């Protein structure tokens, strides 16, 4: 049957809608949308790093229009666009019911980094990933929410490893027209301009909007032609430069961020500072109030009623501190318009406001100027209360006003494509199985709204039911994911070696064993995370890897901070072992850890290893991405795992305490790690029935899915923030 061709006007509209869709990161957690863009240009999708905007630029307008004349392709385009519109227009959201006042006066969430997608590398690690996941869940929940951050045009560094196995950093320019960003315009259609005083200059800045489903994230950009060069470079790199640069960036983020929101007519009901970086926003709120006639004391008190603060750093040295001289320099113009004495301003960032030598601490400022504050896990809450006790001299330590909300992850965003499809099919099988509608709300929603079902504990409770999903299916899924990751890694390592030239040749297609117990470790190479800990038992580990009956293997990835030579030596050592020791072939290091590599690894590995020095892992989130893929955690009881582990849903290294002495701690933890691995993990994984299925291992996977997956999500986390902090009545 032939069909009537689309008219020019119909095509124009479809093409315009697709472009609009490409500039909303909603597609990054919608599988059909991703499949659609991938089909347009499969190689482009891969080479352009899964970026819908870039794919649409790569495919000519002509090709797209011709393609849309195919009825099946057109139907799919329309289906995706319909789902997208339904998502944007949905009126029955959690936020509308539970926090309607935030729709008028939203939460303004300030964060120095946002990890939203691999094509927009403006995040250095977990802090940014958390902010990105927070925004995605705020969107899913229909919460009144705007994000504020900086547009780093060179982003965070890209990592390559040189022939000495040493990390080298390079920076790629991010072209706004090529990534899911839109310029923020004023009423006349010109880029909106704001300014902020930094040292002795008035810095002009513009902003970009990232559409994250229903919510905007605004990225401030100082790269304005009218600014002097060194100020244009303020927003070149994530945490680029020295402490002065850091202070300048934070002035732009905090003070500039408030000004941008005012210009956009956004009147937040609460300012959420994600880490101390954003705390200068409080100065601007104080300034505004004093300009309107309030006294300093009144302005401080009122500002405090508008702010919430989340701390992430359990180490003293990790908090931003600026010397009085630096503050004086960085704020020299701003302070002229600041209606209170500079000494009063400096006092806000000091534990002892009277001490003129005490550096200005952003965390102190944030704590003094917020109505509520929290750490990011139960243990981290306690550590933070102890750390900041001096700020509250009359309060017993357990009453120090820092609570906790444990972090989570945006489940759909982290799920690998085949896993989304797997669970979605399960859901619709169930829905078509004639179950009565009332049994669980999600059974009726196997269509477009399955996204909310997947966060629901009821869905994951099904994992105890072998009729819902059988051991055989789960094991087949595990094999598929392990195989996909191994092939991804083989390809990556081949490319890595080609760059280093001949002489560094390994037989890549035979690297790694798809039947082996595969242990993954990927995170920032901060030294407290102790990446090489397992190799303290080197000879024993070699034996385990070479065991023909029960082989294990290791995959590592991670970036060290550009100035952290010790972290870089960790990387060097691991890569050296992977090439030149008996572990060659059983251990690999994948370059340039980012969210794409993370997604491959948390899905493909059987075990997710985490061995930080307790209690320095405030929460940790990478292990939370593992559960929905059937990957089990093997971790120190620090951060979230201390709360998540129940004895049956993964593996713990050591107990719920740690020695004070660091060397002793390393020794004990390494011994415990080896013990858990050999006494629990390996035997369970290789305990197979006659069909080769590890029933008890799968039992653990099921139990992990029930007990961990729906709990450690940003869906749960953002609801908690809303109830506990965003809606808390000031005063
Ligand atoms: C999840 C994630 C992190 C955070 O992982 P931790 O376990 O908290 O260290 C860091 N970087 C990337 C790219 C991630 O995806």
């Amino acid at each position: 049957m032939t069909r009537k061709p689309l008219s020019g006007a119909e095509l124009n509209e479809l093409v315009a809608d697709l472009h609009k869709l490409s500039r909303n990161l909603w597609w990054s957690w919608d599988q059909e949308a991703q499949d659609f863009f991938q089909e347009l240009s499969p190689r482009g999708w891969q080479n352009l790093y899964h970026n819908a905007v870039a794919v649409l630029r790569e495919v000519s307008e002509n090709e797209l229009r011709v393609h849309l004349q195919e009825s099946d392709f057109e139907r799919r385009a329309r289906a995706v666009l319909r789902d997208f519109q339904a998502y944007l227009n949905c009126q029955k959201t959690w936020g509308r019911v539970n926090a309607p006042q935030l729709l008028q006066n939203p939460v303004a969430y300030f964060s120095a980094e946002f990890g939203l997608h691999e094509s927009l590398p403006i995040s250095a690690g977990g802090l940014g990933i958390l902010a990105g996941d927070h925004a995605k869940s705020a969107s899913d929940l229909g919460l009144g929410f705007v994000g504020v951050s900086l547009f780093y045009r060179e982003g965070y560094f890209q990592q390559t490893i040189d022939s000495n196995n040493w990390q080298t950093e390079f920076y790629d320019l991010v072209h706004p027209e090529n990534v899911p960003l839109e310029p923020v315009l004023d009423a006349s259609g010109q880029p909106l301009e704001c300014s902020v005083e930094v040292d002795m200059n008035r810095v002009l800045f513009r902003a970009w909007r990232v559409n994250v489903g229903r919510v905007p994230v605004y990225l401030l950009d100082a790269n304005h032609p009218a600014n002097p060069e060194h100020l244009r470079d303020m927003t070149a790199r994530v945490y680029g430069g020295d402490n002065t640069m850091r202070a300048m960036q934070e002035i732009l983020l905090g003070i500039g961020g408030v000004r941008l929101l005012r210009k956009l007519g956004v009147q937040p009901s609460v300012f959420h500072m994600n880490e101390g970086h954003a705390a200068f926003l409080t100065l601007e709120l104080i300034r505004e109030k004093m300009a309107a006639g309030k006294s300093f004391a009144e302005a401080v008190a009122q500002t405090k009623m508008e702010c919430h603060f989340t701390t992430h750093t359990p180490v003293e040295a990790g908090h931003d501190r600026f010397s009085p001289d630096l503050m004086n320099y960085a704020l020299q113009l701003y302070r002229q318009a600041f209606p209170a004495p500079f000494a009063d301003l400096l006092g806000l960032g000091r534990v002892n406001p009277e001490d003129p030598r005490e550096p200005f601490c952003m965390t102190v400022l944030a704590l003094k100027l917020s109505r509520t504050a929290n750490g990011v896990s139960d243990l981290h809450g306690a550590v933070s209360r102890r750390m900041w006790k001096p700020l509250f001299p009359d309060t017993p330590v357990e009453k120090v006003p820092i609570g906790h909300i444990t972090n989570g992850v945006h489940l759909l965003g982290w799920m690998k494509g085949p896993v989304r499809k797997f669970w979605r099919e399960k859901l619709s099988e169930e829905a078509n199985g004639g179950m009565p509608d009332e049994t669980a709300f999600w059974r009726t929603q196997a269509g477009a709204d399955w996204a909310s079902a997947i966060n629901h504990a009821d869905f994951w409770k099904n994992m105890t039911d072998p009729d819902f999903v059988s051991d055989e299916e789960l094991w087949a899924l595990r094999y598929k994911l392990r195989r996909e990751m191994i092939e991804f890694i083989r390809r990556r390592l081949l490319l890595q070696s080609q760059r280093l030239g001949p002489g560094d040749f390994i037989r890549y297609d035979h690297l790694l064993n798809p039947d082996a117990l595969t242990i993954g470790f990927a995170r920032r190479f901060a030294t407290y995370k102790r990446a090489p800990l397992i190799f303290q038992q080197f000879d024993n580990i070699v034996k385990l890897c070479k065991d023909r009956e029960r082989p294990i293997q290791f995959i590592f990835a991670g970036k060290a901070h550009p100035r952290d030579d010790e972290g870089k030596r960790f990387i060097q050592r691991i890569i050296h072992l992977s090439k030149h020791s008996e572990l060659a072939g059983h251990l690999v290091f994948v370059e340039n850890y980012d969210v794409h590599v993370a997604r491959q690894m948390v899905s493909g590995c059987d075990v997710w290893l985490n061995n930080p020095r307790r209690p320095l892992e405030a929460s940790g989130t990478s292990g939370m991405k593992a559960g929905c893929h059937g990957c089990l955690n093997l971790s120190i009881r620090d951060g979230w795992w201390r709360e998540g582990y129940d004895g049956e849903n993964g593996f713990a290294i050591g107990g719920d305490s740690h020695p004070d002495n660091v060397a002793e701690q390393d020794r004990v933890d390494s011994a415990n790690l080896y013990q858990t691995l050999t006494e629990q993990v390996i035997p369970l994984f290789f305990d197979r029935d006659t069909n080769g299925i590890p029933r008890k291992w799968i039992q653990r996977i099921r139990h992990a899915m029930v007990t961990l997956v729906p709990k450690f999500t940003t869906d749960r986390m953002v609801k908690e923030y809303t109830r506990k902090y965003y809606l808390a009545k000031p005063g």
Side-chain angles (χ1 to χ4, degrees):
M1 196 176 75
T2 58
R3 67 169 199 147
K4 203 163 144 273
L6 296 178
S7 71
E10 284 171 314
L11 276 175
N12 289 347
E13 192 184 334
L14 262 181
V15 169
D17 286 349
L18 287 172
H19 277 281
K20 194 149 172 260
L21 168 66
S22 74
R23 292 196 186 267
N24 190 315
L25 281 175
W26 173 81
W27 55 253
S28 73
W29 67 95
D30 184 82
Q31 192 57 37
E32 280 72 25
Q34 285 183 23
D35 289 348
F36 175 83
F37 287 114
Q38 176 169 20
E39 188 179 321
L40 262 179
S41 169
R43 290 287 290 163
W45 180 253
Q46 191 177 32
N47 294 339
L48 300 165
Y49 226 29
H50 327 113
N51 171 353
V53 171
V55 165
L56 278 190
R57 286 172 67 90
E58 207 242 2
V59 174
S60 73
E61 174 97 10
N62 219 6
E63 181 179 352
L64 181 60
R65 293 171 82 96
V66 170
H67 220 17
L68 284 167
Q69 292 288 14
E70 295 166 24
S71 61
D72 185 54
F73 195 75
E74 182 216 342
R75 186 187 52 72
R76 285 179 45 212
R78 289 198 190 279
V80 168
L81 289 169
R82 199 167 47 241
D83 285 352
F84 177 48
Q85 277 313 321
Y87 180 88
L88 292 183
N89 298 335
C90 177
Q91 296 297 309
K92 287 188 304 191
T93 65
W94 184 89
R96 197 166 283 279
V97 174
N98 293 280
Q101 58 273 58
L102 296 181
L103 295 173
Q104 268 300 316
N105 299 103
V107 178
Y109 181 95
F110 282 57
S111 176
E113 1 167 352
F114 265 93
L116 288 160
H117 187 257
E118 52 261 37
S119 63
L120 199 57
I122 55 168
S123 161
L127 181 72
I129 303 294
L130 181 77
D133 283 7
H134 194 124
K136 288 173 190 171
S137 284
S139 166
D140 287 348
L141 292 169
L143 203 67
F145 179 96
V146 301
V148 177
S149 189
L150 301 181
F151 176 62
Y152 307 98
R153 66 182 182 281
E154 296 182 7
Y156 195 56
F157 75 88
Q158 312 281 322
Q159 175 194 56
T160 56
I161 305 297
D162 71 12
S163 51
N164 296 318
N165 302 329
W166 193 249
Q167 167 179 300
T168 50
E169 299 99 26
F170 72 95
Y171 292 83
D172 267 342
L173 209 55
V174 181
H175 296 283
E177 66 279 12
N178 262 341
V179 291
L181 289 179
E182 289 177 343
V184 176
L185 304 176
D186 63 19
S188 65
Q190 294 304 306
L192 185 77
E193 292 199 349
C194 300
S195 71
V196 64
E197 297 82 61
V198 180
D199 60 50
M200 70 285 235
N201 297 284
R202 191 171 302 281
V203 176
L204 289 173
F205 67 89
R206 296 170 176 164
W208 302 93
R209 186 177 58 239
V210 194
N211 298 306
V212 184
R214 284 184 271 246
V215 307
V217 173
Y218 295 105
L219 306 179
L220 281 50
D221 185 358
N223 185 23
H224 189 290
N227 291 332
E229 194 67 27
H230 78 285
L231 294 171
R232 292 178 66 169
D233 284 346
M234 237 164 81
T235 45
R237 296 176 177 181
V238 183
Y239 308 132
D242 55 11
N243 224 23
T244 307
M245 177 64 95
R246 184 87 161 217
M248 288 161 59
Q249 287 189 336
E250 295 183 1
I251 290 171
L252 177 62
L253 173 65
I255 297 173
V258 172
R259 290 191 185 165
L260 175 77
L261 293 180
R262 299 298 189 219
K263 234 186 193 159
L264 291 170
V266 179
Q267 298 300 346
S269 58
V270 52
F271 291 83
H272 185 169
M273 297 174 265
N274 187 43
E275 192 55 310
H277 309 131
F280 282 139
L281 72 84
T282 59
L283 299 185
E284 181 64 3
L285 296 179
I286 292 171
R287 191 195 62 76
E288 288 179 340
K289 291 176 179 53
M290 291 182 76
K294 303 286 180 205
S295 71
F296 181 65
E298 288 168 336
V300 166
Q302 285 183 8
T303 297
K304 192 176 156 100
M305 287 304 132
E306 294 177 329
C307 297
H308 174 76
F309 171 54
T310 301
T311 177
H312 292 262
T313 315
V315 228
E316 271 290 338
H319 296 262
D320 276 338
R321 286 189 171 81
F322 303 128
S323 71
D325 281 350
L326 174 52
M327 286 293 287
N328 205 357
Y329 169 77
L331 290 174
Q332 56 188 293
L333 190 58
Y334 184 74
R335 57 180 281 198
Q336 286 176 17
F338 195 80
F342 194 53
D344 288 352
L345 185 160
L346 287 183
L348 296 172
R350 288 178 172 145
V351 177
N352 175 7
E354 313 299 322
D355 178 358
R357 280 171 326 217
E358 186 181 322
F360 186 94
C361 175
M362 296 298 278
T363 307
V364 172
L365 175 66
L367 283 170
K368 283 192 180 181
L369 270 298
S370 46
R371 66 190 190 203
T372 43
N374 73 295
V376 291
S377 69
D378 177 56
L379 182 60
H380 178 239
V383 167
S384 302
R385 285 189 288 279
R386 222 173 307 133
M387 185 182 295
W388 299 107
K389 168 78 182 77
L391 257 185
F392 307 91
D394 303 327
T395 312
V397 67
E398 64 283 0
K399 290 269 165 57
V400 166
I402 303 176
H404 86 271
I405 289 182
T406 305
N407 285 345
V409 294
H410 182 254
L411 209 45
L412 266 188
W414 282 106
M415 247 181 223
K416 208 165 178 237
V419 176
R420 287 181 189 149
K421 287 179 186 163
F422 184 85
W423 293 128
R424 181 151 177 179
E425 262 161 40
K426 284 287 153 205
L427 206 52
S428 45
E429 274 170 29
E430 188 74 6
N432 295 334
M435 300 292 295
D437 283 350
E438 311 81 323
T439 48
F441 86 99
W442 51 264
R443 287 199 170 93
T444 62
Q445 306 189 14
D449 204 23
W450 86 290
S452 69
I454 204 80
N455 281 298
H456 211 273
D458 280 356
F459 174 73
W460 296 98
K461 274 196 198 124
N462 284 299
M463 301 312 145
T464 54
D465 177 4
D467 288 337
F468 185 80
V469 56
S470 67
D471 283 359
E472 285 74 9
E473 285 172 296
L474 278 172
W475 197 232
L477 180 68
R478 291 299 317 141
Y479 255 93
K480 180 183 169 79
L481 295 171
R482 198 185 308 113
R483 160 71 62 177
E484 282 186 4
M485 173 189 65
I486 287 176
E487 300 206 341
F488 165 78
I489 289 174
R490 287 174 178 170
R491 209 163 52 237
R492 273 278 174 114
L493 288 171
L494 179 66
L495 295 175
Q496 278 172 223
S497 82
Q498 283 173 345
R499 209 190 49 242
L500 293 176
D504 205 33
F505 181 75
I506 311 177
R507 299 213 325 284
Y508 291 95
D509 280 350
H510 299 281
L511 202 64
L512 299 172
N513 173 358
D515 292 303
L517 166 62
T518 306
I519 300 173
F521 182 105
R523 43 184 55 85
R524 286 183 303 116
F525 266 52
T527 42
Y528 77 83
K529 296 191 185 235
R530 299 188 294 189
L533 188 74
I534 185 124
F535 302 116
Q536 288 199 2
Q537 314 268 342
F538 184 75
D539 295 338
N540 288 325
I541 294 297
V542 169
K543 277 194 211 108
L544 296 178
C545 287
K546 298 203 162 207
D547 187 320
R548 280 177 186 275
E549 299 297 311
R550 309 195 305 175
I552 69 171
Q553 59 193 357
F554 293 92
I555 298 168
F556 278 76
K559 295 174 176 179
H561 187 276
R563 284 191 296 274
D564 178 10
D565 279 353
E566 200 184 342
K568 291 186 193 180
R569 272 192 290 277
F570 280 6
I571 292 176
Q572 187 177 42
R573 167 135 183 262
I574 289 171
I575 300 180
H576 180 83
L577 293 177
S578 77
K579 289 179 176 168
H580 306 293
S581 81
E582 289 185 86
L583 289 179
H586 310 283
L587 162 66
V588 298
F589 182 92
V590 187
E591 273 181 0
N592 209 28
Y593 181 51
D594 66 3
V595 296
H596 181 56
V597 176
R599 190 177 295 105
Q600 299 286 334
M601 287 181 64
V602 293
S603 58
C605 291
D606 299 291
V607 169
W608 196 249
L609 175 63
N610 189 22
N611 44 233
R613 210 170 265 146
R614 235 177 83 122
L616 299 186
E617 184 84 315
S619 166
T621 55
S622 59
M624 302 174 185
K625 304 164 191 165
C628 63
H629 301 99
C631 166
L632 294 175
N633 279 276
L634 165 60
S635 171
I636 298 274
R637 291 193 217 200
D638 198 7
W640 79 283
W641 191 236
R642 196 175 151 264
E643 295 156 46
Y645 179 63
D646 73 355
E648 301 290 331
N649 56 5
F651 307 92
I653 303 167
D656 189 12
S657 65
H658 58 273
D660 285 336
N661 176 301
V662 165
E664 172 67 4
Q665 194 180 348
D666 290 357
R667 199 189 56 71
V668 170
D669 288 346
S670 141
N672 284 336
L673 166 52
Y674 182 73
Q675 187 182 17
T676 308
L677 188 60
T678 50
E679 291 178 8
Q680 298 182 44
V681 182
I682 297 176
L684 205 64
F685 186 83
F686 288 104
D687 179 2
R688 305 294 170 91
D689 72 1
T690 48
N691 291 328
I693 305 224
R695 304 280 170 193
K696 290 188 191 132
W697 184 268
I698 294 172
Q699 186 52 37
R700 233 169 237 242
I701 291 178
R702 291 178 187 277
H703 189 58
M705 286 174 173
V706 175
T707 55
L708 301 173
V709 177
K711 199 161 161 195
F712 295 97
T713 64
T714 39
D715 185 83
R716 181 269 311 156
M717 183 191 85
V718 172
K719 285 175 179 164
E720 238 183 288
Y721 272 103
T722 305
R723 293 196 180 108
K724 249 169 119 167
Y725 297 133
Y726 296 160
L727 297 179
K729 277 268 174 300

